[in-house]
Amino acid sequence: MPGRCRGEGGQFRPRWKRGMRFTLRPALLLLLAEGDSHGYELMDQLDSIGFDSNELDSSIVYRHLRDMEEMGFIHSTWDDDSKGPRRRVYQIKEAGASRLCGWLESLDHVRGQIEILQKRYQNIKEQEEKK
Amino acid sequence: MPGRCRGEGGQFRPRWKRGMRFTLRPALLLLLAEGDSHGYELMDQLDSIGFDSNELDSSIVYRHLRDMEEMGFIHSTWDDDSKGPRRRVYQIKEAGASRLCGWLESLDHVRGQIEILQKRYQNIKEQEEKK
DNA sequence: GCTTACTATCTGCTTTTTGTCAATAGATGA
DNA sequence: TCATCTATTGACAAAAAGCAGATAGTAAGC
């Protein structure tokens, strides 16, 4: 099941899982558009958008959050009332909402690229079968 | 037309156009699966997969090709018969074909993520309208 | 013959982004 | 007390991308 690609096995070092990261910021912004949250919780919520929390180091998530705060897309406040260690709770800002919209446009273009690749790959496979 | 996202303008430094490159290797492999080619020609062919050649530095393409050769996915030979400067003509190898297949599976997952993001963004927009 | 432009590839250097690993710290339960 | 879960941060290394320019053959126009 994991892979209908022949000859896949072997020594390929997964440069992939890196690179997939560029859906991460839009995903975080979307989650914050759905409601305020903090880093640790966002980590959990991310798997509803197809991220595998096992392969996602928390430092990456926190870094993106701080970067996006620096860029003015989100804003954070400390929550000391909750149990356990204090949480930095993020909320999306106006600039973040419009950036999310822009990123989704870019992602739509990427989706188009992927669909082209899939179609043309199908064509190749069909040609090979005819022979 | 370029952007139905309010408030997009301003000081956003485009970290984006960088980073989107992760469809590039699959695209190059696909083009080579369709037929042998050389770097300069591949640059042209890429716009049929939604790459803007204006924003794509040739050194990046050449570098990816050499990397993929080093990884054993493709193989090159010099073509001295053609006019102009000599070309390094690439052909896809067996390992490259199965890697392409694997990458397309990963990309399919990314496509799924993007669709989730789009759907949930739609939901947010609809909720906002109701208010 | 000289200049310009197009084809074609490669290298070096810098910045940006990711990955990895570990430190810190409160709360909870055995 | 010790392990474990929650929660965030920092430092350093590796990978990828951006940028600028070197090199070179060919062809067209003057």
Side-chain angles (χ1 to χ4, degrees):
Chain A
M1 198 167 53
R4 60 270 300 120
C5 305
R6 277 171 305 158
E8 244 193 312
Q11 66 310 334
F12 182 69
R13 49 277 179 67
R15 308 203 173 210
W16 285 79
K17 77 184 209 180
R18 92 187 294 121
M20 322 260 281
R21 297 278 180 272
F22 89 107
T23 40
L24 185 51
R25 282 182 194 213
L28 289 169
L29 269 194
L30 179 95
L31 288 171
L32 291 174
E34 289 177 340
D36 297 357
S37 187
H38 57 98
Y40 201 84
E41 191 181 32
L42 287 165
M43 287 276 294
D44 281 345
Q45 296 171 327
L46 276 173
D47 68 45
S48 72
I49 317 182
F51 288 90
D52 181 359
S53 48
N54 294 22
E55 301 194 357
L56 191 59
D57 195 283
S58 63
S59 68
I60 291 170
V61 170
Y62 286 111
R63 193 156 45 199
H64 279 302
L65 290 171
R66 271 179 286 129
D67 287 350
M68 288 197 292
E69 182 164 28
E70 209 187 320
M71 290 186 243
F73 298 152
I74 56 182
H75 175 251
S76 72
T77 47
W78 283 107
D79 173 15
D80 292 299
D81 301 332
S82 57
K83 321 271 167 187
R86 54 212 300 247
R87 305 162 166 176
R88 191 188 279 283
V89 176
Y90 287 96
Q91 57 183 333
I92 195 166
K93 289 170 64 176
E94 187 64 36
S98 63
R99 185 84 320 261
L100 172 58
C101 180
W103 279 341
L104 284 174
E105 278 183 7
S106 300
L107 287 180
D108 197 56
H109 181 249
V110 174
R111 192 176 54 82
Q113 288 187 312
I114 294 172
E115 278 165 14
I116 292 170
L117 290 173
Q118 291 174 327
K119 255 175 212 161
R120 285 169 68 163
Y121 185 72
Q122 278 306 315
N123 287 345
I124 292 171
K125 287 288 153 189
E126 281 165 27
Q127 291 301 312
E128 280 176 10
E129 276 168 32
K130 279 183 190 166
K131 285 193 304 188
Chain B
M1 198 166 54
R4 62 265 304 117
C5 306
R6 275 171 307 160
E8 245 193 311
Q11 68 313 334
F12 181 68
R13 49 277 179 66
R15 307 201 174 212
W16 287 78
K17 77 181 206 182
R18 77 191 310 125
M20 319 262 281
R21 298 279 181 273
F22 86 108
T23 39
L24 185 52
R25 282 181 193 213
L28 289 170
L29 269 194
L30 178 95
L31 290 170
L32 291 174
E34 290 177 340
D36 297 358
S37 188
H38 57 98
Y40 200 84
E41 191 182 33
L42 287 164
M43 288 275 294
D44 280 346
Q45 295 171 326
L46 276 172
D47 66 47
S48 71
I49 316 182
F51 289 90
D52 182 357
S53 48
N54 294 21
E55 301 194 358
L56 192 59
D57 195 283
S58 63
S59 69
I60 293 171
V61 171
Y62 286 113
R63 200 152 41 199
H64 279 301
L65 289 170
R66 268 179 288 130
D67 288 349
M68 289 197 291
E69 183 165 27
E70 211 188 321
M71 291 186 241
F73 299 153
I74 56 181
H75 175 251
S76 72
T77 46
W78 284 106
D79 173 16
D80 291 300
D81 300 333
S82 57
K83 321 271 168 187
R86 54 212 300 247
R87 305 162 168 176
R88 190 188 280 282
V89 176
Y90 287 95
Q91 58 184 333
I92 195 167
K93 289 170 66 177
E94 188 63 35
S98 63
R99 185 84 318 263
L100 172 58
C101 181
W103 277 342
L104 285 174
E105 278 184 10
S106 300
L107 287 180
D108 196 55
H109 181 249
V110 173
R111 192 176 55 81
Q113 289 186 312
I114 294 172
E115 278 165 15
I116 292 170
L117 290 173
Q118 290 175 328
K119 253 174 214 162
R120 285 169 67 163
Y121 185 72
Q122 278 305 314
N123 287 345
I124 293 171
K125 286 289 152 188
E126 280 165 29
Q127 290 300 314
E128 280 177 11
E129 275 168 34
K130 276 181 191 166
K131 285 192 303 189

